[in-house]
């Protein structure tokens, strides 16, 4: 496998294993074991590790390379950063949207009616798709890059127990999606920003309640 392809494949495989929990927080990782597991040489593994460090998914301690653990306080801080970035995305989308953008966004909104409210996987997939559509309408590559990095850091928490699956949360998410679509349609920049910020801060509060329920409260 060419080096560039090997690096990308190794990075993706290790990243996905961390996000899914196959590689647990604090788990030691060795270059040789990762190279064997990925079926590549150590060179693409070293390059993949460098990228994973930038993503803050791995770190080094006195024992070597390990999967980086996120403390509850840090997770809540990341949720807060995400809230402001998602709100900025919605505000920019309201400013830059075209009629075609709006037509597609409304179609995406309607697709949410087909989501099974008892399926956490479907709710998470749809919610990501909806906000991804808003981000595409914003047409801001710097904002997209920042959001993708933040969401990657939160992915492990979302995969384990998504906030959208909390009791009553899906109905509130659907109300938010309709509201932000209306504000984007009206080119209401401040309104789009405000409803999005409120929605994601509410998601942060749901996560805090989960931490308290699990006995890992702040």
């Amino acid at each position: 496998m060419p080096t560039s392809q090997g690096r990308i494949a190794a990075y993706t495989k290790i990243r996905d294993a961390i996000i899914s929990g196959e590689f647990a927080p604090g788990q030691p990782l060795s270059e040789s074991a990762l190279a064997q597991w990925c079926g590549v040489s150590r060179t693409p593994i070293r390059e993949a590790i460098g990228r994973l460090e930038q993503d803050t998914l791995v770190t080094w301690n006195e024992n070597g390379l390990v999967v980086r653990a996120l403390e509850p306080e840090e997770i809540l801080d990341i949720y807060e950063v995400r809230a402001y970035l998602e709100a900025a995305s919605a505000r920019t989308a309201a400013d830059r949207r075209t009629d075609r953008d709006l037509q597609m966004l409304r179609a995406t909104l309607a697709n949410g009616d087909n989501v099974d409210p008892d399926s956490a996987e479907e709710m998470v997939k749809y919610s990501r798709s909806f906000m991804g559509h808003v981000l595409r309408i914003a047409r801001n590559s710097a904002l997209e890059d920042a959001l993708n990095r933040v969401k990657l850091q939160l992915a492990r928490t979302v995969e384990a127990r998504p906030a959208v699956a909390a009791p009553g949360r899906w109905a509130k998410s659907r109300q938010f999606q309709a509201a932000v679509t209306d504000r984007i349609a009206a080119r209401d920049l401040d309104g789009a920003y405000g409803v999005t910020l409120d929605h994601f801060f509410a998601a942060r509060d749901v996560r805090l309640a989960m931490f308290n329920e699990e006995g890992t409260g702040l």
Side-chain angles (χ1 to χ4, degrees):
M1 181 182 294
T3 301
S4 60
Q5 292 182 10
R7 181 182 66 251
I8 295 170
Y11 163 79
T12 301
K13 188 172 183 178
I14 299 168
R15 180 202 65 193
D16 290 350
I18 293 171
I19 290 173
S20 69
E22 182 178 353
F23 290 172
Q27 179 174 332
L29 302 172
S30 73
E31 284 187 9
S32 58
L34 289 173
Q36 183 176 6
W37 184 63
C38 293
V40 297
S41 69
R42 287 197 179 191
T43 298
I45 290 296
R46 293 190 188 102
E47 295 175 354
I49 287 172
R51 186 172 173 186
L52 291 163
E53 283 187 88
Q54 292 178 346
D55 293 337
T56 69
L57 293 177
V58 300
T59 190
W60 296 85
N61 63 21
E62 64 276 7
N63 298 317
L65 183 70
V66 298
V67 176
R68 188 171 181 269
L70 290 175
E71 296 299 324
E73 296 92 338
E74 188 174 6
I75 293 171
L76 294 178
D77 286 345
I78 297 170
Y79 262 97
E80 184 172 328
V81 172
R82 182 187 179 187
Y84 284 111
L85 291 173
E86 295 281 16
S89 173
R91 188 182 196 280
T92 306
D95 183 43
R96 297 183 177 181
R97 66 92 174 159
T98 65
D99 290 343
R100 176 62 174 167
D101 290 332
L102 185 57
Q103 181 183 9
M104 296 300 293
L105 183 61
R106 284 178 168 153
T108 300
L109 177 66
N111 288 339
D113 293 337
N114 300 319
V115 172
D116 180 358
D118 294 322
S119 171
E121 182 179 359
E122 285 190 25
M123 289 187 288
V124 169
K125 183 178 179 180
Y126 174 79
S127 297
R128 287 174 176 167
S129 173
F130 181 86
M131 291 311 300
H133 200 128
V134 172
L135 183 58
R136 286 192 294 275
I137 293 173
R139 297 179 178 84
N140 185 316
S141 58
L143 187 57
E144 182 176 4
D145 181 66
L147 255 173
N148 285 340
R149 287 180 177 276
V150 167
K151 286 188 284 189
L152 182 59
Q153 293 178 57
L154 291 174
R156 284 179 284 173
T157 303
V158 172
E159 291 290 338
R161 191 178 177 191
V164 72
R169 185 63 186 164
W170 176 243
K172 291 184 181 298
S173 293
R174 292 296 287 151
Q175 291 170 8
F176 154 70
Q177 291 152 6
V180 75
T181 297
D182 288 344
R183 284 158 178 76
I184 290 172
R187 298 193 188 278
D188 180 0
L189 278 63
D190 291 340
Y193 183 94
V195 296
T196 306
L197 192 66
D198 289 346
H199 174 73
F200 281 95
F201 265 102
R204 179 185 183 276
D205 292 343
V206 170
R207 182 60 58 189
L208 176 58
M210 287 180 174
F211 286 141
N212 290 333
E213 179 184 325
E214 295 164 358
T216 56
L218 305 182

